[in-house]
Amino acid sequence: MSNLNRLGGACGAGALAALAFAGLAFGQDAPASPIPAPAFDSGGTTWMMISSVLVLAMTIPGLALFYGGLVRAKNMLSVLMQVSSILCLVAIIWVVYGYSMTFTDGGSLNAYVGGFSKMFLANVDFAGLDPTKGAATFSNGLYLPELVYILFQMTFACITPALIVGAVAERVKFSGLMVFVALWVTIVYFPIAHMVWYWPGPDGVAAATLAGEEIRSGLIWGWGGLDFAGGTVVHINAGIAGLVLCLLIGKRLGFGKDAMPPHSLTLSMVGAAMLWIGWFGFNAGSNLAADGIAALAAMNTFVATAAAAMGWVLVEWLTRGHPSLLGAISGMVAGLVAVTPAAGFAGPIGAIVLGFVAGVACFFFCTTVKNAFKYDDSLDVFGVHCIGGIIGAIGTAIVADPGFTGQGWLDYAASPGTAVAGAYDLTAQLITQAKAVGVTLVWSGLVSAVLYYVVHLTIGMRVTADQEREGLDISSHGERAYNS
Amino acid sequence: MSNLNRLGGACGAGALAALAFAGLAFGQDAPASPIPAPAFDSGGTTWMMISSVLVLAMTIPGLALFYGGLVRAKNMLSVLMQVSSILCLVAIIWVVYGYSMTFTDGGSLNAYVGGFSKMFLANVDFAGLDPTKGAATFSNGLYLPELVYILFQMTFACITPALIVGAVAERVKFSGLMVFVALWVTIVYFPIAHMVWYWPGPDGVAAATLAGEEIRSGLIWGWGGLDFAGGTVVHINAGIAGLVLCLLIGKRLGFGKDAMPPHSLTLSMVGAAMLWIGWFGFNAGSNLAADGIAALAAMNTFVATAAAAMGWVLVEWLTRGHPSLLGAISGMVAGLVAVTPAAGFAGPIGAIVLGFVAGVACFFFCTTVKNAFKYDDSLDVFGVHCIGGIIGAIGTAIVADPGFTGQGWLDYAASPGTAVAGAYDLTAQLITQAKAVGVTLVWSGLVSAVLYYVVHLTIGMRVTADQEREGLDISSHGERAYNS
Amino acid sequence: MSNLNRLGGACGAGALAALAFAGLAFGQDAPASPIPAPAFDSGGTTWMMISSVLVLAMTIPGLALFYGGLVRAKNMLSVLMQVSSILCLVAIIWVVYGYSMTFTDGGSLNAYVGGFSKMFLANVDFAGLDPTKGAATFSNGLYLPELVYILFQMTFACITPALIVGAVAERVKFSGLMVFVALWVTIVYFPIAHMVWYWPGPDGVAAATLAGEEIRSGLIWGWGGLDFAGGTVVHINAGIAGLVLCLLIGKRLGFGKDAMPPHSLTLSMVGAAMLWIGWFGFNAGSNLAADGIAALAAMNTFVATAAAAMGWVLVEWLTRGHPSLLGAISGMVAGLVAVTPAAGFAGPIGAIVLGFVAGVACFFFCTTVKNAFKYDDSLDVFGVHCIGGIIGAIGTAIVADPGFTGQGWLDYAASPGTAVAGAYDLTAQLITQAKAVGVTLVWSGLVSAVLYYVVHLTIGMRVTADQEREGLDISSHGERAYNS
Amino acid sequence: MKLVTAVIKPFKLDEVREALTALGVFGLTVTEVKGYGRQKGHTEIYRGAEYAISFVPKLKLEVAVKSEIVDAVIEAIVSKAKTGQIGDGKIFVYPLDHVVRIRTGETDTEAL
Amino acid sequence: MKLVTAVIKPFKLDEVREALTALGVFGLTVTEVKGYGRQKGHTEIYRGAEYAISFVPKLKLEVAVKSEIVDAVIEAIVSKAKTGQIGDGKIFVYPLDHVVRIRTGETDTEAL
Amino acid sequence: MKLVTAVIKPFKLDEVREALTALGVFGLTVTEVKGYGRQKGHTEIYRGAEYAISFVPKLKLEVAVKSEIVDAVIEAIVSKAKTGQIGDGKIFVYPLDHVVRIRTGETDTEAL
Ligand SMILES: Nc1ncnc2c1ncn2[C@@H]1O[C@H](COP(=O)(O)OP(=O)(O)O)[C@@H](O)[C@H]1O
Ligand SMILES: Nc1ncnc2c1ncn2[C@@H]1O[C@H](COP(=O)(O)OP(=O)(O)O)[C@@H](O)[C@H]1O
Ligand SMILES: Nc1ncnc2c1ncn2[C@@H]1O[C@H](COP(=O)(O)OP(=O)(O)O)[C@@H](O)[C@H]1O
């Protein structure tokens, strides 16, 4: 999912590896056109199915436990239920119209959103036999059965709104949240994902270039924004929505007065571990092929996370006197968020620096800054996902620079049918990244606020004080998490 | 693991994809025979090894936690121990004689059970170097190292009897259960798996057809029963055994009087999540190759589950006033069970409908129907696995119909060496499915009852009342799950 | 990671499978040299990325939970934090200089340790496009993008020192432990891994043989030690270090007097399950390719573990009266450890025997022997990892013998460019294995003792009695694992 | 007024509570406790480490009642909590000076 | 000396403790208990099995005080623990014979 | 008869119990409680949110004994539970009207 860049089209250099492979295996069948014949690769298909499963594991049990462990025992089930229900709801929405709105041509609105030609997965080759009906990767000639791509992207659509739960945990009304999420993915997530990730693929760029036609892509892709695995689409997007929601819904009863310690850091740690594990699918899977760039993304996902955890813990140790496990796992998540847009672009040392910076910065944000402003972002969705996401998005411009051992971007138009390295302009890239961040912050922030009021004024977004005090598990779901 | 159908032989259309691949990569070596030369595919081998690991994860920690969270704290370890011990025991039995009894030719008894030619894995090529000694997939010419197939199938044999634990939890005697399981897999599971899944493979069908010989397969496979990943073999099979056992062993002390709430819905939710995650290996792995049909099975495994969870929760919300997490995860499992036989045959929308129906039906079964009959199937093995399995098995006939965007079945005999779509007869398929369900219910139900009495009258199947009251953890295993 | 053997070079027969594959796909490009042209294989790349993720899952949440569940609640977070921090610290050290010290040529010291040419991953092809810059596997001509290999090996370096935590849990000082680990991986782990696993690869052996040059490898590899996945490098290495540390640091307060039951066997069981699951990546991933030998390693990883759990539980049942869950999961780990060096060499029945023996032996060690000597190896790092590791290392010589359905070793020098079976000498192999064990015990044991004193005399290795009594969670990390 | 405290086996709670309600006692407070007495605990072995668990889980019921019904309350508890086996528990009766209902400020017998 | 015991709603603990401290009471002991009384519990349904949970989580505070300040202590607790809703809890006062501080061996009012 | 109640540091339980057994006291009931007193708790920080934990985990022992041995019991507890550091805990002695052994119906000193 790296982005098209400037004129020609760009992606992680993974293209070349797969191209090489394709060349070896299928070279003898190459037609007169410079664009290679489409082919599937069972190694890549396997990698993408596994990556999809890994991203599912990020949501449940990963995110559910990470968040759940941080709330009080009386709200544990409510968090698990919110995350699980969002997952199920968005999965269905995705196949009904979400995929179509995100990954088809939106006609005159194509810069902003897709169309409805694949509603109910119409026009998708379910048997996945025919590479010419496959989904493009970042290598000319290399395709995935379209359902693999739909599945992988579905897991992203499912986890993004689930991230928001952390901002309003322990007080949000279940029915209101579900309606909010259904509206939010429709009006915010699908369009932004379309803007950042919709493009015609390497061969599409090549064909359009050869034919002298316009390359039809989403707005931010067209600008050349680099977002390997969803720093803007997923993390900034959900993070700003979380901030808006927690400001509008108000603080938890007793916030700042009662002790609200995590009911089980053990479970949060397990959740963080599952997030880390699953994030290899998220980041390295976003390469859409099993090649060297996937390995690079995987390596970066490992070391940036380790560096961020160490960053958070070290500053905490220095400033607060103790290195805490909650610090370590918060740092892990901050590092994972920050490396997401850079995963296939940065070199490992660049990733370490990026992760370390994110760990330190998010620490200050979640402690000093948040305490100063006194808003109740219960589980730090904003401080970790939005701040970490912004650091990652901007930092990507730097660590992707080949001058800093980055991978730069690939140009699919310069020599149609193959991919060549594009010229890297750091300043321009920084500006592009900032613009992409800005669009996301503004659109997601504004629409989230409007949607909040829509739901608030109809079915309501918050439980009553008594329900909140009793705990959402009993009051909203009629169950308790723990019995003896 | 889809089934041979009617005369010719059928399977998920995955065949074609892999065939295409094989054709591209190896076409130039094709011999004079229309049957392609056997070959391995590292992508497929990887997919199947991962799928095996995923199915292991379904059992432990998945099923162990799902069940364990639902019992009282004093019986937690006993459930974990029963599931773990069954897993270990059956794994050993599998390599000693189980695989042989399931997947070799049983001579004159071949319709019902295999033979002993591969006891102790004799005659298996351990190095897995030679595709001509490999295990067939659903594509002509595409093979797996036989150990991969043995491993994958082993995980199915291990989880099936572990499912039964849920019906007799909190009162069953450990030694009795172990003996029961050893007998049950031998007399019930291996034969039924043989009846449903034993066939000579695409090239075997082709060779037999060309030679004008009989196609030697298990009984139900020969009928043309469709069971992509084990709806009959695994779920109906274990579900009916569970019902029989819980009726014969009797209710828990205090059933219907004392409160027996789940000791940790948190753990059950983690277990359900691991089940879902692992089920991708179960269902999409049953395709035996990493192609478009695997992707279809994976997609169906996702959306049917989501729909079933929503179905259960919605009806529960309407009829009981609260949407519960236990409802959501029970629905997930119901959906997973129902989509199992249909995974590679249904289109995604068909899978959604199938899942939703299963969620609603299992809800009514586990609440209204069970309460009416007052039997103590502690963790609803019958209500979820058997009922969900029957809905899935029958529903498969419908959703597999190409008229409803299903994949139909493939005929390997029409044009030996390749696979072509077979003509789909919905009514006939419904009857076949019903017959397969019937055979399983009768055989598993009857033999389970007999085995219960055999064990009951020798070593005993139930602990004493005092042991039950103290909790099985202390009384059977000398440990407690939680200390401070 | 199987080892070079005697003169020529040996490895799991997996080589042949991959070779066959390479031959089919790339045969037409074969150069005049008998050494095939290097190529990547996306199936293998996928397998190794997944294997890396699986090994990460062994460490967190696997090992963290396995260990964490066994300590008292007041020390839970400290264990989770120690394991997580070691993981992060060693990951960074690995890319900075660890990989270079392990897997580059060490010049005149090459028998013992590598050099510094790849510090900060200098000279590594990040894009992974070019197979000639890839990392060798055990098949001629088959390569991995080097980052894949670096990633996979990194996970081994991370988990090894984390194993040591179990020996000193509930009393070790966090800062002291971190410094100890940083020194220990540098002086113990990297050199021993180099001695056992550094070799020039199949094509390197072939090229050296053709050129009549010396084959430059680590000391133990040169001897022909067989260690498929790290029995010596990981388990014996960490196990002896644990014994030394726990002897020097002293017993826990109240050891032998106060009850110190595991605070959550549930979590330990989940940890053991994750260890088992992840160990498929550890063992079958060590084959470096997705072929029949990987399947053999996976099968052995399954059945040896099952047999070991049954072995432990059966003896326990006979001698102590109860079959316990802690026994079952301890047996699982013992089996996993024992089968590690033998994974790709043994036949499944050999693996069952090996696992069973390890289960029984480790049971006696952790109960009778340990009780007799009264040292406080809190979580039995020595009794399980070192003893299990030694049984596995010595046993490998036996079960690898083709006379006992083992795979023997492959000779890459006899016919350069291809691999042929080497002649198997059981006695010689037994001696070699014993020598490898001896070197590891002595070097790791001695250096660990020295390092203990270095840290003890500077920053200290143990918390104060008050801190220990209060629990490390509060005193070292300022948090509690559980709140309500 | 008296405070009647009973240490009983956990699974007897519901029966005892019902018996008390039948006597017109509508309030009580329950605590999970661990008891040590004639009833032996059990031994747990964790990987060779053997722990004798001498404390047994019990429930402690506290019921404040008018002095007149103390005997009836005792009798009700005894009859319901008794299994006849060691470890059935004990009843302790204490003098109680004063009772206040927080919600209303009512005191003593009115507050019961 | 008297022992004042109060069963209160859990979220009132901090307020009550502060009020007691203001009165010069510097020690107290808290137990998690389950209360049965006029306040109804709730119903939980687990897959069709319906359980009436009649016990409500409460905290029990035990405060040993000089007889002179018993009334002030009661008043302080009532004023802070009161929400006016059913289930606010009760205060019980018992006679107390003797107090010892373990650390020093001091006794009675000196030990408080 | 008296009820001797002691709030002690948790890790002292076994020693105290042994001392009591030596005195011929064969029954006692233990509750996990949280104590507030001179012993300061500690501060926990969770991602910037700082909580002062003022309650310290303690065990409360309840032992019903014949009046004659109250002093010996107190002495035994003090001698075993004492570490000399703040937070060692307190002993409270209450009058006890009546004891019943549920299993047998025996009463008072026979029931101890
Ligand atoms: N002297 C005592 N003081 C306080 N509690 C006691 C005393 N003796 C017994 N108990 C409580 O009563 C419970 C039951 O006593 P036990 O001696 O085991 O059996 P029984 O009640 O049948 O005599 C014990 O577990 C303990 O909680
Ligand atoms: N007779 C009693 N003996 C002991 N505890 C009691 C008694 N009556 C009430 N309680 C305790 O007081 C709590 C509150 O009582 P309840 O009747 O629910 O409301 P209120 O205090 O408003 O009258 C109960 O949960 C119980 O713990
Ligand atoms: N007035 C009191 N009433 C009830 N419990 C008390 C009282 N004072 C102290 N305690 C209990 O005794 C414990 C120890 O008291 P503390 O003042 O911390 O130390 P010390 O016992 O050394 O004076 C407290 O944690 C509390 O549980």
Side-chain angles (χ1 to χ4, degrees), chain F residues 17-75:
Chain F
R17 200 205 59 206
E18 279 161 25
L20 291 177
T21 318
L23 279 182
V25 175
F26 293 115
L28 57 92
T29 302
V30 180
T31 315
E32 291 180 5
V33 298
K34 292 186 288 182
Y36 177 77
R38 277 177 187 76
Q39 183 187 5
K40 280 195 311 208
H42 57 270
T43 302
E44 295 172 12
I45 311 185
Y46 294 98
R47 257 203 219 144
E50 211 167 319
Y51 304 126
I53 305 297
S54 32
F55 288 93
V56 185
K58 301 276 173 195
L59 289 184
K60 183 171 85 174
L61 275 55
E62 292 171 292
V63 205
V65 294
K66 279 181 272 185
S67 306
E68 302 91 271
I69 61 165
V70 165
D71 289 339
V73 164
I74 290 177
E75 202 169 317

Side-chain angles (χ1 to χ4, degrees), chain E residues 3 25-30 62-65 101-103 111-112, chain F residues 7 33-40 56 58 85-90 92:
Chain E
L3 181 83
V25 175
F26 292 115
L28 56 92
T29 302
V30 179
E62 292 171 293
V63 204
V65 294
R101 166 173 287 128
I102 293 174
R103 169 168 49 97
L112 286 178
Chain F
V7 176
V33 298
K34 292 186 288 182
Y36 177 77
R38 277 177 187 76
Q39 183 187 5
K40 280 195 311 208
V56 185
K58 301 276 173 195
Q85 286 172 313
I86 283 180
D88 276 352
K90 299 221 156 57
F92 305 102

Side-chain angles (χ1 to χ4, degrees), chain C residues 466 469-470 474 478-480 483, chain F residues 11 42-46 53 85:
Chain C
D466 269 0
R469 208 172 276 123
E470 188 175 17
I474 291 290
E479 309 165 297
R480 270 177 307 162
N483 293 285
Chain F
F11 68 94
H42 57 270
T43 302
E44 295 172 12
I45 311 185
Y46 294 98
I53 305 297
Q85 286 172 313

Side-chain angles (χ1 to χ4, degrees), chain B residues 77 257-259 466 469-470 474 477-481 483-484, chain D residues 11 14-15 34 41-47 53 55 57 85:
Chain B
L77 295 185
K257 223 183 61 182
D258 298 354
D466 269 1
R469 209 172 276 122
E470 188 175 17
I474 291 290
H477 307 291
E479 308 165 299
R480 270 177 306 162
N483 292 286
S484 55
Chain D
F11 67 95
D14 280 328
E15 282 178 64
K34 292 186 287 183
H42 57 269
T43 303
E44 295 172 12
I45 311 183
Y46 295 98
R47 254 202 221 146
I53 304 297
F55 288 93
Q85 286 172 312

Side-chain angles (χ1 to χ4, degrees), chain A residues 430-465:
Chain A
L430 278 169
I431 293 168
T432 305
Q433 299 297 98
K435 276 166 60 187
V437 169
V439 167
T440 309
L441 287 177
V442 170
W443 182 246
S444 178
L446 280 184
V447 177
S448 298
V450 171
L451 293 181
Y452 168 81
Y453 282 110
V454 168
V455 177
H456 171 62
L457 296 174
T458 52
I459 41 181
M461 275 296 275
R462 187 167 178 154
V463 298
T464 66

